[in-house]
Amino acid sequence: MEVLLTALLIFCLRICDVSLGTVRMIVSIQGRRYLAAGIGFVEVSIFITAIGKAMENIENPINVFAYAGGFAAGTMLGIALETKLAFGYRVVRVIIHRGADNLIAKLREAGFGVTRLRGEGKKGPVAVLFSVIRRKDAGTYMRVVNQEAPHAFVTIEETRETKH
């Protein structure tokens, strides 16, 4: 029974430390160094505990399996957590041939700021719309665009830093 409990502990610890590692990497990329450092401190503390438990009885294949399984499950959980937390901002660029005024009005009604530039595309004049949005609002933004301008060309880019 003790063998299974140790394996379960290793598995759970690995889920925690790998999940935290995934989130830490993403906040690091976004330039949030203090948050990344705090997460890293907790992550490594858990990792040291997990590796120590696994190394106590390395010949036990259950511990090795629990360690590897916890890594895999932690990776999946970390990605799911980061998606739910949706840290940061995105720059959305919408290129549209017709109906820009209506799309701009609908986006602004939904609470989004929009900057419009006039451009020239392959088939003539276009409107190029820029918005900086919270990542968690990307779905709402895209629903408005898809409803009002289903043929628009859209790109979404991650921002590293914003200044208001």
Side-chain angles (χ1 to χ4, degrees), residues 65-113:
F65 184 78
Y67 190 87
F71 183 88
T75 299
M76 293 186 334
L77 179 61
I79 292 168
L81 270 174
E82 197 282 328
T83 301
K84 290 280 186 213
L85 294 172
F87 292 127
Y89 290 88
R90 300 293 182 263
V91 174
V92 183
R93 181 184 310 111
V94 180
I95 301 172
I96 182 171
H97 291 281
R98 294 181 297 285
D101 291 335
N102 189 46
L103 177 57
I104 291 168
K106 293 292 185 176
L107 287 168
R108 287 180 177 161
E109 271 179 34
F112 297 106

Side-chain angles (χ1 to χ4, degrees), residues 2-21:
E2 185 180 329
V3 170
L4 291 178
L5 287 175
T6 299
L8 181 62
L9 176 62
I10 292 167
F11 181 79
C12 291
L13 288 170
R14 285 302 282 161
I15 287 175
C16 292
D17 91 84
V18 173
S19 297
L20 287 171

Side-chain angles (χ1 to χ4, degrees), residues 12-59:
C12 291
L13 288 170
R14 285 302 282 161
I15 287 175
C16 292
D17 91 84
V18 173
S19 297
L20 287 171
T22 303
V23 173
R24 178 189 46 78
M25 286 190 332
I26 291 164
V27 298
S28 294
I29 291 167
Q30 294 175 346
R32 298 171 165 206
R33 64 181 144 200
Y34 297 112
L35 180 57
I39 292 171
F41 181 85
V42 175
E43 171 196 355
V44 170
S45 298
I46 295 170
F47 169 76
I48 289 170
T49 305
I51 194 76
K53 284 288 180 192
M55 295 301 286
E56 282 176 5
N57 190 0
I58 193 68
E59 296 84 23

